[in-house]
Amino acid sequence: MKKNDNPTELSGEINAEDSSNGLSRRGFLGAGAVAAAGAVPMTAAMFAASAKTQAAEIRNDTSVHPGELDEYYGFWSGGHSGEIRILGIPSMRELMRIPVFNTDSATGWGLTNESKRVKGDSAHIHAGDCHHPHMSMTDGHYNGKYVFINDKANSRVARVRCDVMKTDKMITIPNVQAIHGLRVQKVPYTKYVICNAEFEIPMNNDGKSSMEDVSTYRSLFNVIDAEAMEVAFQVMVDGNLDNTDADYDGRFFASTCYNSEMGMTLGEMVVAERDHVVIFDLHACEKALKAGKFKTYNDNKVPVLDGTKGSNLTRYIPVPKSPHGLNTSSDGKYFVANGKLSPTVSVISIKKLADLFDDKIKPRDAIVAEPELGLGPLHTAFDNRGNAYTTLFLDSQIAKWNVEEAIEAYQGKKVNYIRQKLDVHYQPGHNHTSQGETRDADGKWLISLCKFSKDRFLPVGPLHPENDQLIDISGDEMKLVHDGPTYAEPHDCMIVHRSKVKPKKVWTRDDPIFAETVAMAKRDGVNVESDNKIIRDGNKVRVYMTSVAPAFGMNDFKVKLGNEVTVVVTNLDKIEDVTHGFCLTNHGVQMEVAPQATASITFIADKPGVQWYYCNWFCHALHMEMRGRMFVSAE
Ligand code: RUQ
Ligand code: CUA
């Protein structure tokens, strides 16, 4: 199928067919064509049968020809590389990298003053371990505004603005260690980002506690105001937390807990027979917050609510030992907790949770199915036809199963809820279906994020790439269609239809990301859009220059040895894709300046003599000539 004949036309045609319920427009057209050729009017049954054959035969098309655009954006966690990557699906081409917790010399992320401002209190940390990228939603649909992601290594959460695909906020979460599972509130809109702190620590962690007495050790559930990017409140729980997700009603969040024993060693963590899923009642939490029923810890003001066992803010549902992934079904009916050590997943009916909070039923009564799927179930994804897809880490398989039939089996009926098991290569962790964490699950694609690639690619040394496999789930059978090597363990990804995301092509001059730099210029009496000026302020020197391909507005400037120099570059080019850079040789100074952006970087002029600077983003036939000298005088 031609995905898109006119690559600049992003919406329209493709949108119309995307949220269709399983039957693509191509299927309809194909069925219609068959009817016309045979000149026999189709009955509804014939139509359905024919459409089914068509769907089975034609399946999704993975080819995206040169010049054509992908149908979906894939947002990939970059794992312990600390970045986010954008892939096109179904081509699996890497389109962009968004540096987040890492440092990136191409864009100057972590080096420029603008990025250091975003990183705030953790600007000195150059590493990260991101797991779960998730997009903000309105009424259970992706809204294209933000992508949020966690940093397990440094207990941070960051936000990426999807209009420019840059990180614009980052916070370190207090009172906790290791932010792991992260999701967004789906309904009515993403007011809150929710995330789990995995490692339990003493409350307070001020060095006055001990290694022996662990009675004050706790793990907290974290609720972040998505717009302000501040912690709204935290909820103290029993046991440590792993993964989380939200319902489609705006009331409940659920988190898996392993180590309900609060053990400090592996042996101590696997004593109990069961762990649990914690259900959080957002309405009750907000009420408690309003009523001032909270404590604070570690000399900060973040309110911590008590959600330990017996509290009215939470309920604890026992499930088999060490559950891992927690996924809400796209029809909004179930939370699915993935067994990991148990070959089962536990299906929790969200409809029953109100009764659970009213103490009308017992915690285990909220479980409506516990299908046995295979060894090592970690995460589950959903299509729009009532099927679930669960990764089996130990079996290296995806198990496709039918949710309603698993529920019937739990009630004692003899049904085989397993639809298919597909080998993947190898040891899958997360998986994700196209739009499957929203109401718009479309049942077209599934990604299996395999932790091991072993023999699937040319050998590249002892460190192997991961293998992110694309699977066509549009027909009755899952079909593996692509192997994608990726770097440094993407834990999770999400697949967003391209109609949901509308990035800018050039910066707007009043963008908040560089507003502070422009304000500094104004205080210096400099108009960054026209002036090329040096401001000397004691030991500090601020150099303002413009750039228009193929020249900087300033051919040279002079400073003194030991000066703290800030170079501010404003790219006056308005043409899409004419990005300049500023790179100062031998100083570790480099950054990107995209069209209409202002960017700045600060360094110490600690080398005397001539120091060349140059444009490091190829912008023009005379790009090599786009350079100038900084002279550092020794006196
Ligand atoms: S969690 S698979 Cu963050 Cu599963 Cu990695
Ligand atoms: Cu400007 Cu290269």
Side-chain angles (χ1 to χ4, degrees):
M1 171 178 67
K2 270 270 165 76
K3 281 265 151 36
N4 184 14
D5 291 319
N6 175 5
T8 56
E9 170 57 36
L10 267 172
S11 47
E13 178 196 304
I14 291 203
N15 287 346
E17 66 179 321
D18 268 305
S19 40
S20 75
N21 32 9
L23 226 126
S24 76
R25 202 177 58 169
R26 189 181 43 174
F28 271 110
L29 290 175
V34 171
V40 181
M42 295 249 301
T43 62
M46 281 168 72
F47 177 81
S50 153
K52 206 175 163 195
T53 326
Q54 294 265 341
E57 278 169 10
I58 306 174
R59 310 299 298 271
N60 284 339
D61 194 346
T62 54
S63 46
V64 178
H65 298 287
E68 290 184 356
L69 304 183
D70 281 287
E71 190 175 352
Y72 297 89
Y73 286 94
F75 289 86
W76 248 247
S77 154
H80 28 274
S81 77
E83 64 190 9
I84 289 178
R85 298 174 198 137
I86 308 177
L87 271 67
I89 293 178
S91 75
M92 299 289 282
R93 296 179 293 193
E94 183 181 292
L95 306 177
M96 186 43 66
R97 295 178 173 201
I98 308 170
V100 184
F101 303 112
N102 58 330
T103 296
D104 176 54
S105 59
T107 56
W109 187 257
L111 306 173
T112 64
N113 297 318
E114 293 70 37
S115 62
K116 285 178 176 171
R117 256 177 239 136
V118 169
K119 293 181 86 175
D121 66 347
S122 65
H124 61 291
I125 294 179
H126 302 285
D129 176 15
C130 41
H131 288 226
H132 308 109
H134 290 286
M135 182 178 274
S136 51
M137 297 186 200
T138 305
D139 193 31
H141 309 279
Y142 286 135
N143 65 17
K145 203 167 177 197
Y146 301 123
V147 169
F148 301 89
I149 194 157
N150 70 304
D151 170 16
K152 176 169 167 176
N154 304 291
S155 312
R156 289 180 291 182
V157 173
R159 180 175 85 184
V160 168
R161 250 175 61 195
C162 295
D163 61 337
V164 288
M165 297 300 179
K166 296 283 185 195
T167 309
D168 85 317
K169 293 274 182 195
M170 192 179 295
I171 52 169
T172 307
I173 313 290
N175 303 330
V176 298
Q177 264 170 42
I179 293 293
H180 184 221
L182 174 147
R183 291 276 178 153
V184 301
Q185 183 179 359
K186 299 175 202 273
V187 173
Y189 69 100
T190 300
K191 180 178 179 194
Y192 295 124
V193 175
I194 50 169
C195 54
N196 289 330
E198 190 176 335
F199 303 156
E200 55 290 295
I201 52 168
M203 307 288 296
N204 299 299
N205 199 17
D206 52 6
K208 290 177 193 147
S209 57
S210 80
M211 299 257 272
E212 291 70 37
D213 176 12
V214 299
S215 60
T216 67
Y217 285 36
R218 286 289 182 274
S219 158
L220 306 181
F221 179 72
N222 306 278
V223 181
I224 298 165
D225 181 317
E227 208 52 55
M229 279 297 278
E230 285 166 6
V231 183
F233 60 92
Q234 297 174 309
V235 186
M236 187 182 285
V237 295
D238 285 310
N240 56 244
L241 298 172
D242 197 4
N243 279 291
T244 188
D245 207 345
D247 68 3
Y248 283 88
D249 308 301
R251 179 170 173 195
F252 297 118
F253 304 131
S255 295
T256 47
C257 158
Y258 72 92
N259 186 26
S260 55
E261 305 87 340
M262 296 295 265
M264 297 296 129
T265 62
L266 174 60
E268 291 169 8
M269 290 183 199
V270 291
V271 180
E273 219 159 275
R274 301 204 144 196
D275 283 318
H276 50 247
V277 169
V278 189
I279 310 288
F280 299 89
D281 182 343
L282 174 61
H283 298 166
C285 288
E286 284 182 323
K287 239 169 138 187
L289 191 65
K290 251 203 186 141
K293 289 186 192 152
F294 57 79
K295 288 188 183 160
T296 59
Y297 296 89
N298 296 303
D299 292 329
N300 63 64
K301 292 202 171 76
V302 176
V304 181
L305 309 175
D306 183 1
T308 53
K309 285 180 184 165
S311 133
N312 70 330
L313 310 181
T314 53
R315 287 294 180 270
Y316 290 73
I317 302 179
V319 294
K321 190 73 199 139
S322 290
H324 183 60
L326 194 294
N327 306 90
T328 312
S329 62
S330 46
D331 59 11
K333 290 184 184 167
Y334 309 109
F335 286 136
V336 173
N338 297 258
K340 190 169 78 182
L341 297 188
S342 160
T344 59
V345 298
S346 303
V347 181
I348 297 167
S349 164
I350 294 174
K351 213 167 56 193
K352 296 195 172 190
L353 294 178
D355 279 352
L356 177 58
F357 273 83
D358 291 342
D359 295 320
K360 289 184 186 150
I361 60 169
K362 296 224 165 65
R364 279 293 296 179
D365 296 341
I367 305 245
V368 291
E370 222 150 50
E372 194 166 321
L373 302 175
L375 296 184
L378 288 188
H379 293 278
T380 296
F382 303 88
D383 66 18
N384 53 351
R385 305 185 295 276
N387 300 310
Y389 302 80
T390 300
T391 51
L392 302 174
F393 179 79
L394 296 173
D395 283 343
S396 285
Q397 286 183 318
I398 304 275
K400 176 181 174 182
W401 53 285
N402 184 275
V403 182
E404 293 309 320
E405 288 183 14
I407 293 170
E408 288 173 16
Y410 193 70
Q411 292 161 352
K413 282 195 199 136
K414 278 239 162 332
V415 279
N416 183 11
Y417 45 79
I418 303 263
R419 287 284 182 274
Q420 186 196 352
K421 288 193 183 179
L422 178 77
D423 288 341
V424 291
H425 311 86
Y426 304 88
Q427 267 75 41
H430 270 271
N431 61 357
H432 209 92
T433 48
S434 37
Q435 308 219 99
E437 63 171 352
T438 71
R439 291 190 200 279
D440 304 317
D442 60 16
K444 288 169 85 170
W445 299 109
L446 173 73
I447 296 280
S448 172
L449 299 169
C450 302
K451 306 281 187 196
F452 293 15
S453 61
K454 294 181 190 169
D455 50 4
R456 298 293 282 194
F457 305 112
L458 279 177
V460 287
L463 181 64
H464 289 47
E466 321 296 310
N467 187 9
D468 297 349
Q469 295 188 296
L470 182 67
I471 296 161
D472 177 357
I473 55 167
S474 62
D476 287 339
E477 261 179 48
M478 295 183 275
K479 246 167 80 181
L480 175 62
V481 295
H482 185 89
D483 269 14
T486 40
Y487 181 59
E489 205 174 324
H491 282 262
D492 197 0
C493 69
M494 54 161 175
I495 306 171
V496 181
H497 192 265
R498 64 186 186 178
S499 61
K500 307 271 182 194
V501 184
K502 297 262 179 293
K504 291 180 181 169
K505 296 186 174 178
V506 288
W507 286 88
T508 347
R509 282 297 310 150
D510 60 0
D511 195 283
I513 285 183
F514 45 80
E516 261 191 60
T517 306
V518 172
M520 172 183 81
K522 218 176 225 167
R523 288 194 300 274
D524 279 340
V526 172
N527 177 353
V528 292
E529 289 175 53
S530 54
D531 299 347
N532 288 282
K533 255 190 194 166
I534 301 177
I535 305 293
R536 296 182 200 276
D537 174 8
N539 192 37
K540 293 184 174 156
V541 181
R542 289 184 287 280
V543 181
Y544 294 94
M545 63 174 88
T546 58
S547 67
V548 178
F552 289 112
M554 203 180 271
N555 286 325
D556 49 57
F557 63 87
K558 279 186 199 158
V559 298
K560 285 198 179 116
L561 194 63
N563 277 171
E564 182 196 288
V565 183
T566 298
V567 174
V568 181
V569 181
T570 298
N571 182 349
L572 296 184
D573 279 305
K574 287 188 176 141
I575 303 161
E576 180 180 349
D577 213 1
V578 181
T579 293
H580 299 291
F582 179 89
C583 177
L584 179 68
T585 51
N586 298 349
H587 284 74
V589 165
Q590 40 189 117
M591 62 180 179
E592 157 225 351
V593 199
Q596 291 294 303
T598 294
S600 72
I601 192 160
T602 300
F603 58 92
I604 304 293
D606 54 6
K607 292 185 175 70
V610 171
Q611 313 290 338
W612 280 96
Y613 54 89
Y614 68 97
C615 172
N616 59 340
W617 279 81
F618 211 107
C619 56
H620 190 274
L622 291 170
H623 155 83
M624 305 303 291
E625 287 82 352
M626 186 167 173
R627 55 187 169 111
R629 284 168 303 160
M630 171 175 81
F631 188 80
V632 182
S633 59
E635 355 83 65

